[in-house]
Amino acid sequence: MTPLLSAGRARRALLAVVLSAGLTTGVTACGEDPDAGTNGIGKLTAQEIENKARVAADGATAVRLSGTLVSKGGTYKLNMRLKQDGGTGSVTSKENTFELLRIGDTLFLKADAGFWSHADGKDGEEPSSSDEEAADKLEDKYVKVPQGDPSYKQFRGFTDMDVLLDGLLGMQGELSKGDRTQVGGIRAIKVLAAKGEGGVLDVSLTGKPYPLQFTRAGGAGVLTLGDWDKDFELAEPSRDEILDYGGQLPKTSGD
């Protein structure tokens, strides 16, 4: 017959089991590989991670880019879908919002009357009746931007995948690895430039090491990147939605 444990001995035995289980759990947790189930870039140096993110972005066929861009000219909110042969989306400034659509070299600009009525006027100057009349005709139309117009290159830049990514994702300073995190539910690792003052890049730990988020240096905005390599349709508007203004658009405040 097996002797029964006393109440005190039973409690001590139970405590030993609990402590043992907790210790085992702790050892297992500490021994887990944080890169298990990832693409393995977390084991690389910060420079290697940034290089791989750059290669992945350069080789991508499409991306959605959204967020805030701060420049000397003001603050802009971007919401663009881009691919190699064009792009579409909106740009919002303090004054107004305009939409852009580019298919190949054909670029369309769509805005409300407020955008166009101040196109020729100086800051603080009320638009003339002729300006307002022209603005009413242009409102909510897809205005074809002539390639010879000074604003063509500027507006096209918002729809050019390579130009926009190269211009916005620059890191400034010595790189170091940061914490593991999540962006939109996707596991990621941070790469910091100059301890974060020169920019912070969140790179995907799942699948291809795409950039998922970029905090620009000097408080110049935060951009989120997603839908990598997800194709989308670029369709030219119907004829009744398009207005050909002529050889040159009215000057905008950005010109």
Side-chain angles (χ1 to χ4, degrees):
M1 180 180 293
T2 304
L4 295 174
L5 293 175
S6 67
R9 291 178 64 191
R11 283 195 296 271
R12 289 194 295 272
L14 178 60
L15 179 61
V17 171
V18 171
L19 289 176
S20 176
L23 180 61
T24 302
T25 303
V27 170
T28 302
C30 292
E32 285 182 353
D33 182 359
D35 295 301
T38 73
N39 53 24
I41 65 166
K43 298 178 180 179
L44 304 178
T45 66
Q47 184 63 65
E48 289 171 332
I49 296 173
E50 196 270 344
N51 289 343
K52 285 190 173 293
R54 177 68 64 179
V55 170
D58 289 344
T61 58
V63 66
R64 177 187 291 276
L65 187 151
S66 60
T68 303
L69 176 63
V70 181
S71 68
K72 294 180 181 179
T75 300
Y76 300 90
K77 291 183 179 180
L78 307 181
N79 187 7
M80 303 296 301
R81 293 199 72 179
L82 310 166
K83 57 183 180 178
Q84 293 300 327
D85 60 347
T88 184
S90 64
V91 180
T92 301
S93 67
K94 182 180 179 181
E95 292 80 18
N96 44 55
T97 297
F98 57 90
E99 298 177 26
L100 294 168
L101 169 64
R102 182 175 63 85
I103 305 172
D105 292 327
T106 303
L107 177 65
F108 297 98
L109 170 64
K110 182 179 179 181
D112 60 18
F115 176 90
W116 295 112
S117 64
H118 291 86
D120 283 322
K122 297 179 181 179
D123 292 339
E125 183 178 292
E126 289 297 321
S128 66
S129 58
S130 60
D131 289 336
E132 291 182 341
E133 184 179 349
D136 289 339
K137 293 180 180 179
L138 296 171
E139 181 175 24
D140 292 333
K141 291 286 188 178
Y142 283 94
V143 180
K144 191 173 182 179
V145 183
Q147 294 187 35
D149 189 274
S151 63
Y152 177 85
K153 185 176 181 181
Q154 176 188 3
F155 287 130
R156 180 189 170 111
F158 284 110
T159 67
D160 192 309
M161 181 174 170
D162 294 333
V163 170
L164 206 57
L165 291 180
D166 288 343
L168 297 181
L169 300 184
M171 306 283 278
Q172 304 172 17
E174 184 178 354
L175 302 183
S176 60
K177 288 199 291 187
D179 296 333
R180 285 169 170 76
T181 184
Q182 287 195 7
V183 178
I186 301 174
R187 296 170 67 183
I189 185 168
K190 291 183 178 292
V191 175
L192 294 77
K195 298 181 179 179
E197 295 183 1
V200 179
L201 182 66
D202 294 85
V203 182
S204 176
L205 286 168
T206 303
K208 290 185 179 181
Y210 288 125
L212 298 179
Q213 183 170 281
F214 184 62
T215 304
R216 304 183 74 217
V222 179
L223 301 168
T224 301
L225 303 103
D227 291 345
W228 288 100
D229 284 328
K230 290 186 178 180
D231 195 19
F232 58 95
E233 183 181 4
L234 287 172
E236 187 167 311
S238 61
R239 287 188 177 184
D240 59 345
E241 294 179 294
I242 298 175
L243 181 61
D244 193 339
Y245 190 81
Q248 186 172 329
L249 296 179
K251 288 186 177 180
T252 66
S253 58
D255 291 338

